[in-house]
Amino acid sequence: MLIYNLEMTNNILLFFVCLSGGVIWACTFHHDVKYGGIFVNCSNNNLSNVPNDLPQNTTSLNLSTNHIAVLHIQPNSSLNALKYLDVSNNKLSKLQNGTFESINSLEELFLQNNNLMLDSTTYPDDVFLPLQKLQKLHLHNNDRKSEGSYPETAFGKLRSVVELKIDTYETSTFGSGFANMTSLKRLLLGFNGCKISRVLNQTLRSFKHIPIEDLDLSSCPLAALDKMSFVYLKSLKDLNLSHGKFVSPVEAVTSMYGLNGLNLTSILFDEIYNFLNFQYGSIELRTLTKEVLDNLQGVCVERMSMKKNKIAWIDSSILKPNSRFSNCIVHIDLSDNDFLGDRHILFQFVFAPQLVFVNITNHLRRNEYFPSMPQHNSLLSVPTFRFTLPPRLKYFYSHGTLSDMGYINGNIEIKNAVSLQSVNLAFNGWYAFQYNIYGLENLTDLDISGNYFTNMNPGFFKSFTGLRTLTMSQIGFSKYFLLRQGRQMFLPLRKLENIILGRNDLAVMDPKIFSGNQLTAIDLSFNRFESIPFDITTTPSLQCLDLSYNSLPVLSELERTLFDSLAATNNFTLNLDNNLLSCGCKNLGFVLWLFHTDVKVENRDSYTCVSDSGHITRPSYIYDHYDEIWRKCSGPTWLSLSVSAFALIILFMILIYLINQRKTLLLNIIYRLFGLVNVAKPPKRTDFPNDAYIGYSDCDYQYICHTMREHLEDRHGVKLFLKDRDTIPGGQIADDIINGIDSSWKTLLILSRSFLEDQWCSFTVNRVVYSSSILPAGSVVLVLFEDVRQGDISPALLNVVEERHIFYVKKYMDDQRRLWRDVSQCIMTEFLETRISLGASLQSELTCTTTAEKTIAGALRSSCVERRSMLIYNLEMTNNILLFFVCLSGGVIWACTFHHDVKYGGIFVNCSNNNLSNVPNDLPQNTTSLNLSTNHIAVLHIQPNSSLNALKYLDVSNNKLSKLQNGTFESINSLEELFLQNNNLMLDSTTYPDDVFLPLQKLQKLHLHNNDRKSEGSYPETAFGKLRSVVELKIDTYETSTFGSGFANMTSLKRLLLGFNGCKISRVLNQTLRSFKLIPIEDLDLSSCPLAALDKMSFVYLKSLKDLNLSHVW
């Protein structure tokens, strides 16, 4: 056996014990600061017994998290001086007499998390007898039984123990043996694993003469407390019942009766009333009446906390004049309850002369018993409302308590506020404050966020001369208030150092607004500033400026110089996170400054910026590739001139060659382009005696000549040609069919099984196909009965029929009136578009309505056939419709319609129903709207240098999308409307990567519904958190939807549309919409959802709500 030690410079000793060339155990050793010897740490070493060869001066030994089953320490070991022993998290199941004889100097012993049952077998009577110096003993999380009795004889030998942490039973009884623990001061029964459910009057009787000062019952599943539960603890200073289960506030306060006459330091009742399946529980158990509070009046306690207990009412008698409780209380915390409260309680604080801290925040219920300030109509006198405070009060927090305070119709005077330093009155429902508050000259910290001071009194802060920190977030300032009144309002605050004006939707303010202050920190985050809104020279002491989540593209050279000056004198910090910065060629100096400046630019490596090409990148990338990008920016000017001149020369030579080779063809195209050809005028509706020729089978005679004729002719005024009525009997059938079709504006074919089997069906179809070639597109209308399949229809007929002119009877569900109404509208509608149909070989005739159209169409056909290459032609019609055709190897690959985009001013491209599997590339440069719905697109890939840079509207609904990728939207970052509904996009982080929406900082409308069919799941909230400009969101739901914290970043969201056929949400909980607490949602749609329940506070967080739709729920 060899022992090596290594003494390090930091006073750490490392020991290794080797035997036969192998390491048996390895412990770390260092100086024991507390006891002066050596601290040996042998935890996590897979030990099965206590090591023997330890240093002689070992005073602390850690054996936790090993496999020790028997605690055996040799009598003559080197642990005689041991003061601290930790054997927690082992496999001990029994202690023996004599276990501690050789370590009788022990002062701290930790045996928790073993298997030591609380019985006399595990703890023999004299097992602790040698430990007469032991002061701290932890034995919790050993005995998992719910019922049992303590081995009190063994514990009675521990006369010097000051702190005991031990397991409990559901009904614990501490026997008479515990009365011998005469030094016990801290009895810790509360921990995860505590089982005691009721404290009876007799539970703690054995500690009657024990000086227990600290009783911890936190995290215990207490269901009841008797009135005299703590009567025997005459030395008690600290009582902790926090995080219990079912102890009502009434029971908790009633149990204080046994502490009357005592002087306590703290009583903690936080979260003791936590109904798992009920929101509130019995109202009586949550009402602290005068009779209940009387149990507290004889108790002298410095700190009292009853947070998060669903207390419904607290009587103002909690603070009585001259009561022991009122005279002693220093710190009182009643926050996060739901009580209405006695309106006199605000006036009772004066009866607590020692009071320093008051917290009554977050009681977000309407206070029906605390009405708004009384109205007054006099123009000569303004009422003054007076409040008197305790002279020592320093902190008063009433955040979100007086939620209906309303208009303040007079001055407020605060008396005796000589010590008051911090006041929080945020989110109290105050409206335009037109008067003054007096008496707060010594106040240093004020928060009035979340109130509605749209047009507040500019002289509001005249009496706040000592203010150092001011928070005014979400105030709702009018648009130009800070521009016109801001300087006057803040001028009295000469000592102001910190100001927070975030989340106010501000765009402008007075440049000299802070000229009268000594500001060191300014927070203007979550606003709409496009430049630094104030004069930087007026804030020479500024150390921190937060402009995150604004609209700053760049800092000017002057602003950068001023910030550098502040960095040299004040160690200045700047935050520009989540601004859409510009890093184009003109702003390379700004990017370089971000990385060279002495200013501490927070999170600069995570900033995003927009290049000249519209791509989203990072300033860090621009900086790393600065030389390369600078050359790209400065070099192209002269290069482009030289290249352009050379290209013009080459182009001119090619043009001369082509003109010489194709002179006649070019002249032909020019003549046709300008309409210098003779073309017959297209037929019009007035050229035909009949509106429609009806093609049908003789077997359908009764239905056609009665039912259909009645609907079309009698009700809708359509003039029909019916062969059984309008032809001479015995005539030639073929001639009758030809004459009927030629004399009719349109042809309506009634396709039934009998018509397809009719001997004249083929002849009728062929004549219809021929006649359609001399009429504009849309002259053929089909009505399909249920007995006809799409495969039974002639392909030649389908080539001349548009999909919108095919009517399926089964889709109308026996609603004959609606069917024939739609058919009549189709027959009587004039043609609004001219379409050109090209066959696979481009041999069929082109049908055009004007000379110009026919000329271009002819040129298109000849070019596609002769060149056998891809060509794109456009035709500008008189009705502003653009038609595009793409030809490849002589055939039409895809055909999209193009027309003027009325909303966005560019071109609207409609490529729906084209069997596309990807996004077309060769689209017009000025495409602003693109419809790709109802295709077969599985991957949304848009080339970086495509012609869609100006795209504002994109519809890819009804496709086969199953995943989006980072970079999908980089080349279309100007998008404002995106529709992805009816695909296969699951709501998870795989489908929506974190940064997939990052480029879409201008997106306002996003529809993603009818994608995820699962009933349970969670949203990819990180991805949605990047959508800061989205105003309307329509998204799938789960049966119990929870919107995570990421949604709180969607700061522009106004319309949340969760209702549609396919909505799955069945319950709206109190916390469902919590993430939208600070979001200005005005419209919430839950229509058609299978709602089974709504909680009482389901919509409490939607403070800006205007429209709520719960119609058609199940």
Side-chain angles (χ1 to χ4, degrees):
M1 180 178 293
L2 298 173
I3 299 178
Y4 293 86
N5 63 56
L6 172 63
E7 185 170 0
M8 309 297 292
T9 56
N10 56 0
N11 296 321
I12 295 177
L13 297 175
L14 303 180
F15 279 74
F16 304 91
V17 179
C18 303
L19 181 63
S20 300
V23 176
I24 303 305
W25 50 264
C27 302
T28 62
F29 301 68
H30 60 80
H31 175 64
D32 190 342
V33 178
K34 185 173 182 179
Y35 294 111
I38 298 175
F39 191 113
V40 181
N41 186 359
C42 296
S43 62
N44 285 286
N45 263 279
N46 294 318
L47 297 176
S48 58
N49 50 54
V50 181
N52 296 325
D53 300 305
L54 294 175
Q56 288 295 326
N57 194 27
T58 298
T59 52
S60 295
L61 176 60
N62 185 354
L63 296 171
S64 63
T65 318
N66 282 291
H67 303 292
I68 300 173
V70 177
L71 186 60
H72 176 67
I73 300 174
Q74 293 183 0
N76 298 318
S77 69
S78 56
L79 300 177
N80 293 332
L82 196 65
K83 303 289 186 180
Y84 172 101
L85 177 61
D86 186 350
V87 201
S88 60
N89 291 286
N90 276 275
K91 297 182 178 180
L92 296 177
S93 59
K94 185 178 180 182
L95 299 176
Q96 299 176 346
N97 284 328
T99 297
F100 303 109
E101 282 187 358
S102 60
I103 52 173
N104 51 27
S105 297
L106 205 61
E107 295 183 12
E108 298 181 64
L109 177 60
F110 299 90
L111 297 173
Q112 67 269 24
N113 296 303
N114 281 282
N115 300 310
L116 298 169
M117 299 295 104
L118 285 171
D119 53 44
S120 56
T121 302
T122 304
Y123 297 94
D125 290 351
D126 293 331
V127 65
F128 293 130
L129 186 60
L131 301 179
Q132 294 307 306
K133 296 181 180 180
L134 190 66
Q135 297 186 23
K136 184 181 290 187
L137 176 61
H138 284 198
L139 296 170
H140 56 288
N141 281 330
N142 273 287
D143 195 337
R144 277 77 179 175
K145 302 193 305 294
S146 59
E147 296 295 337
S149 58
Y150 294 105
E152 55 187 276
T153 304
F155 287 104
K157 306 296 174 65
L158 295 168
R159 303 183 185 279
S160 62
V161 167
V162 176
E163 177 179 306
L164 175 64
K165 194 168 186 178
I166 192 172
D167 285 311
T168 56
Y169 300 116
E170 290 185 2
T171 305
S172 292
T173 301
F174 295 92
S176 58
F178 285 92
N180 296 322
M181 301 182 68
T182 53
S183 299
L184 187 62
K185 292 186 177 182
R186 294 186 295 278
L187 180 59
L188 311 179
L189 307 178
F191 49 87
N192 288 330
C194 172
K195 300 182 287 294
I196 188 169
S197 61
R198 182 170 185 177
V199 181
L200 306 174
N201 290 336
Q202 305 301 319
T203 298
L204 302 171
R205 185 175 184 177
S206 295
F207 300 107
K208 182 176 182 179
H209 300 292
I210 306 301
I212 292 179
E213 297 179 356
D214 185 357
L215 175 62
D216 187 353
L217 287 166
S218 61
S219 302
C220 291
L222 292 172
L225 291 171
D226 286 0
K227 186 172 183 177
M228 306 294 285
S229 297
F230 310 113
V231 69
Y232 297 107
L233 305 181
K234 300 300 183 182
S235 301
L236 194 64
K237 298 293 184 184
D238 298 289
L239 174 63
N240 189 353
L241 299 180
S242 300
H243 310 293
K245 297 295 183 181
F246 308 110
V247 176
S248 69
V250 170
E251 288 179 295
V253 174
T254 302
S255 69
M256 296 298 96
Y257 180 78
L259 301 178
N260 271 252
L262 300 185
N263 296 323
L264 279 76
T265 302
S266 66
I267 297 176
L268 304 180
F269 289 163
D270 300 337
E271 292 188 85
I272 60 173
Y273 194 60
N274 183 20
F275 270 74
L276 298 179
N277 298 317
F278 305 95
Q279 185 177 6
Y280 294 122
S282 172
I283 189 68
E284 292 81 6
L285 298 178
R286 299 184 294 113
T287 303
L288 301 183
T289 62
K290 178 180 179 300
E291 292 73 17
V292 173
L293 294 172
D294 282 345
N295 294 288
L296 190 63
Q297 298 306 314
V299 180
C300 178
V301 60
E302 294 180 8
R303 182 184 179 191
M304 178 78 173
S305 180
M306 295 189 71
K307 297 186 294 187
K308 299 182 180 180
N309 284 310
K310 299 182 174 66
I311 299 174
W313 176 273
I314 295 183
D315 191 79
S316 62
S317 62
I318 187 173
L319 296 173
K320 287 183 177 180
N322 300 319
S323 70
R324 280 177 57 82
F325 180 81
S326 298
N327 288 335
C328 294
I329 192 69
V330 174
H331 179 118
I332 186 167
D333 192 340
L334 301 173
S335 59
D336 296 291
N337 285 288
D338 301 290
F339 62 77
L340 300 174
D342 189 337
R343 63 181 177 178
H344 296 102
I345 196 169
L346 292 179
F347 300 93
Q348 299 293 103
F349 290 125
V350 69
F351 299 128
Q354 306 299 323
L355 196 60
V356 173
F357 180 95
V358 175
N359 189 353
I360 53 173
T361 62
N362 293 332
H363 300 286
L364 298 177
R365 293 179 57 182
R366 182 172 179 81
N367 195 342
E368 298 171 1
Y369 296 91
F370 193 16
S372 300
M373 293 291 184
Q375 303 289 330
H376 66 89
N377 298 318
S378 174
L379 299 177
L380 299 177
S381 63
V382 176
T384 297
F385 306 100
R386 295 178 174 85
F387 297 89
T388 303
L389 299 180
R392 296 189 179 183
L393 185 64
K394 292 184 179 181
Y395 310 99
F396 182 80
Y397 300 136
S398 182
H399 173 107
T401 298
L402 308 174
S403 57
D404 64 338
M405 194 69 177
Y407 288 93
I408 307 300
N409 298 306
N411 297 318
I412 295 179
E413 182 180 353
I414 310 295
K415 292 186 174 183
N416 217 18
V418 292
S419 302
L420 193 61
Q421 297 178 6
S422 179
V423 172
N424 188 332
L425 298 174
F427 296 94
N428 277 307
W430 286 14
Y431 289 91
F433 202 111
Q434 296 296 324
Y435 301 98
N436 297 309
I437 296 180
Y438 302 104
L440 297 178
E441 290 79 7
N442 296 326
L443 191 67
T444 59
D445 188 346
L446 175 64
D447 188 348
I448 54 174
S449 301
N451 293 291
Y452 308 103
F453 291 172
T454 305
N455 292 301
M456 67 184 298
N457 177 14
F460 178 80
F461 293 114
K462 277 194 285 188
S463 64
F464 292 80
T465 53
L467 205 60
R468 296 184 182 274
T469 301
L470 175 60
T471 304
M472 298 181 71
S473 298
Q474 294 181 262
I475 290 295
F477 290 118
S478 60
K479 188 174 182 179
Y480 300 109
F481 179 78
L482 291 184
L483 179 63
R484 297 167 180 166
Q485 310 287 349
R487 185 179 182 187
Q488 177 187 352
M489 183 168 65
F490 296 132
L491 191 59
L493 306 179
R494 298 291 182 181
K495 297 181 180 180
L496 190 64
E497 297 177 355
N498 304 300
I499 187 168
I500 300 174
L501 294 171
R503 299 182 184 275
N504 278 305
D505 202 30
L506 298 173
V508 292
M509 61 172 56
D510 187 342
K512 303 293 184 180
I513 190 171
F514 302 130
S515 60
N517 315 120
Q518 300 297 321
L519 287 172
T520 59
I522 300 175
D523 186 346
L524 298 175
S525 59
F526 292 93
N527 284 293
R528 295 189 297 113
F529 295 117
E530 297 180 2
S531 61
I532 305 298
F534 62 93
D535 186 351
I536 303 171
T537 60
T538 62
T539 56
S541 303
L542 192 61
Q543 298 177 10
C544 178
L545 175 59
D546 189 348
L547 283 165
S548 58
Y549 295 91
N550 277 277
S551 302
L552 273 72
V554 69
L555 296 180
S556 68
E557 186 174 354
L558 175 60
E559 290 168 343
R560 301 198 297 264
T561 302
L562 292 174
F563 284 150
D564 285 334
S565 299
L566 290 176
T569 56
N570 302 336
N571 198 19
F572 180 67
T573 300
L574 177 65
N575 189 350
L576 296 174
D577 197 13
N578 279 279
N579 283 276
L580 195 58
L581 303 175
S582 172
C583 50
C585 291
K586 294 182 179 180
N587 300 319
L588 289 180
F590 166 63
V591 176
L592 202 62
W593 176 85
L594 284 177
F595 293 90
H596 286 177
T597 181
D598 292 330
V599 175
K600 292 183 179 179
V601 183
E602 293 186 353
N603 305 319
R604 65 184 175 190
D605 291 332
S606 65
Y607 290 178
T608 57
C609 63
V610 181
S611 64
D612 287 338
S613 61
H615 293 152
I616 302 294
T617 184
R618 297 188 183 277
S620 56
Y621 174 83
I622 302 295
Y623 177 72
D624 293 339
H625 300 80
Y626 180 81
D627 292 339
E628 174 188 347
I629 294 172
W630 181 84
R631 285 193 295 269
K632 289 182 179 179
C633 289
S634 60
T637 303
W638 291 106
L639 179 62
S640 61
L641 289 175
S642 58
V643 172
S644 298
F646 181 75
L648 286 173
I649 295 172
I650 299 299
L651 182 62
F652 183 72
M653 296 174 64
I654 294 174
L655 186 60
I656 292 175
Y657 174 78
L658 292 177
I659 291 174
N660 187 54
Q661 295 292 320
R662 295 281 181 172
K663 184 188 303 181
T664 304
L665 176 61
L666 291 174
L667 290 174
N668 181 273
I669 292 175
I670 292 172
Y671 279 121
R672 290 179 176 274
L673 182 62
F674 290 99
L676 301 178
V677 293
N678 295 322
V679 179
K681 294 182 179 180
K684 299 180 179 178
R685 168 65 189 87
T686 55
D687 297 335
F688 299 89
N690 300 309
D691 290 323
Y693 170 82
I694 309 300
Y696 58 94
S697 169
D698 291 339
C699 297
D700 301 325
Y701 163 78
Q702 292 291 336
Y703 179 79
I704 299 300
C705 294
H706 291 84
T707 304
M708 187 202 74
R709 184 198 59 76
E710 178 183 349
H711 281 282
L712 292 182
E713 281 194 339
D714 297 348
R715 296 186 180 181
H716 299 290
V718 181
K719 187 175 182 181
L720 305 178
F721 185 98
L722 300 171
K723 64 181 182 180
D724 291 299
R725 182 190 68 181
D726 299 324
T727 60
I728 300 175
Q732 293 294 326
I733 297 177
D735 291 341
D736 291 341
I737 293 174
I738 294 172
N739 292 335
I741 294 174
D742 291 345
S743 64
S744 300
W745 169 239
K746 293 186 180 181
T747 300
L748 174 62
L749 297 182
I750 309 301
L751 299 187
S752 63
R753 174 56 57 184
S754 58
F755 177 78
L756 296 178
E757 295 173 352
D758 191 287
Q759 58 181 341
W760 289 100
C761 170
S762 178
F763 179 82
T764 303
V765 169
N766 289 336
R767 183 59 190 179
V768 168
V769 172
Y770 170 76
S771 298
S772 66
S773 64
I774 61 175
L775 289 172
S779 61
V780 182
V781 181
L782 303 182
V783 175
L784 271 66
F785 280 82
E786 293 90 336
D787 57 353
V788 176
R789 297 172 301 180
Q790 287 90 334
D792 298 333
I793 306 172
S794 170
L797 181 60
L798 291 177
N799 283 336
V800 299
V801 181
E802 296 184 6
E803 186 65 29
R804 59 195 177 101
H805 293 162
I806 301 177
F807 297 88
Y808 296 88
V809 174
K810 63 181 180 181
K811 290 185 178 180
Y812 287 84
M813 302 175 62
D814 298 329
D815 188 352
Q816 296 289 327
R817 178 176 298 180
R818 187 165 63 92
L819 168 64
W820 296 113
R821 181 196 64 197
D822 292 348
V823 172
S824 67
Q825 291 176 354
C826 180
I827 293 173
M828 300 303 291
T829 300
E830 294 286 345
F831 299 114
L832 297 179
E833 295 182 4
T834 302
R835 300 181 180 269
I836 302 176
S837 302
L838 298 180
S841 63
L842 292 177
Q843 298 301 314
S844 61
E845 283 293 328
L846 300 176
T847 303
C848 306
T849 60
T850 69
T851 303
E853 296 168 28
K854 195 166 186 179
T855 302
I856 294 301
L860 169 64
R861 182 179 63 180
S862 61
S863 298
C864 289
V865 172
E866 293 179 11
R867 297 181 182 276
R868 301 291 182 179
S869 61
M870 181 176 291
L871 299 174
I872 300 179
Y873 285 83
N874 64 53
L875 173 61
E876 185 169 1
M877 309 297 297
T878 55
N879 55 359
N880 294 322
I881 296 177
L882 296 176
L883 305 180
F884 277 72
F885 305 91
V886 179
C887 303
L888 182 61
S889 300
V892 175
I893 302 306
W894 52 265
C896 303
T897 62
F898 300 66
H899 59 79
H900 176 62
D901 190 341
V902 178
K903 183 173 183 180
Y904 295 111
I907 298 174
F908 191 113
V909 181
N910 185 359
C911 295
S912 61
N913 285 286
N914 261 279
N915 293 319
L916 297 176
S917 59
N918 50 51
V919 180
N921 296 326
D922 301 304
L923 294 175
Q925 288 295 328
N926 194 27
T927 298
T928 52
S929 295
L930 176 58
N931 185 355
L932 296 171
S933 62
T934 319
N935 282 293
H936 303 292
I937 299 173
V939 177
L940 187 60
H941 175 67
I942 299 173
Q943 293 185 356
N945 297 319
S946 70
S947 55
L948 301 178
N949 291 335
L951 197 65
K952 304 290 187 181
Y953 172 101
L954 177 61
D955 186 349
V956 202
S957 60
N958 292 285
N959 276 275
K960 297 182 179 180
L961 297 176
S962 60
K963 184 179 179 181
L964 299 177
Q965 297 176 342
N966 283 329
T968 297
F969 303 108
E970 279 192 356
S971 59
I972 53 173
N973 51 33
S974 296
L975 208 61
E976 295 184 11
E977 298 182 64
L978 178 59
F979 299 89
L980 296 173
Q981 66 268 25
N982 296 302
N983 281 282
N984 300 310
L985 298 168
M986 299 296 104
L987 285 171
D988 53 46
S989 57
T990 303
T991 304
Y992 297 93
D994 291 350
D995 293 333
V996 67
F997 293 129
L998 185 60
L1000 301 179
Q1001 295 305 309
K1002 297 181 180 180
L1003 191 67
Q1004 297 186 23
K1005 183 180 292 186
L1006 177 61
H1007 284 199
L1008 295 170
H1009 54 288
N1010 282 330
N1011 273 288
D1012 196 335
R1013 278 77 179 176
K1014 302 192 304 294
S1015 59
E1016 295 295 336
S1018 59
Y1019 293 103
E1021 56 185 272
T1022 304
F1024 286 102
K1026 306 297 174 63
L1027 295 168
R1028 304 186 188 282
S1029 61
V1030 166
V1031 176
E1032 176 177 308
L1033 175 64
K1034 193 168 186 178
I1035 193 172
D1036 285 311
T1037 56
Y1038 300 115
E1039 290 184 2
T1040 305
S1041 292
T1042 301
F1043 296 91
S1045 59
F1047 285 89
N1049 295 323
M1050 300 183 70
T1051 52
S1052 301
L1053 188 62
K1054 292 186 178 181
R1055 296 186 293 279
L1056 182 58
L1057 311 179
L1058 307 178
F1060 49 87
N1061 288 330
C1063 170
K1064 300 182 287 294
I1065 188 169
S1066 61
R1067 181 170 185 180
V1068 182
L1069 306 174
N1070 290 335
Q1071 305 301 320
T1072 298
L1073 301 171
R1074 186 175 185 177
S1075 293
F1076 301 108
K1077 181 176 181 180
L1078 304 178
I1079 308 302
I1081 292 180
E1082 297 179 357
D1083 184 359
L1084 176 62
D1085 186 355
L1086 288 166
S1087 60
S1088 303
C1089 291
L1091 290 174
L1094 290 171
D1095 286 359
K1096 187 172 184 180
M1097 307 294 282
S1098 297
F1099 309 113
V1100 69
Y1101 296 107
L1102 304 183
K1103 299 302 183 183
S1104 301
L1105 196 63
K1106 302 294 185 184
D1107 299 293
L1108 175 62
N1109 189 354
L1110 298 178
S1111 303
H1112 309 295
V1113 297
W1114 299 8

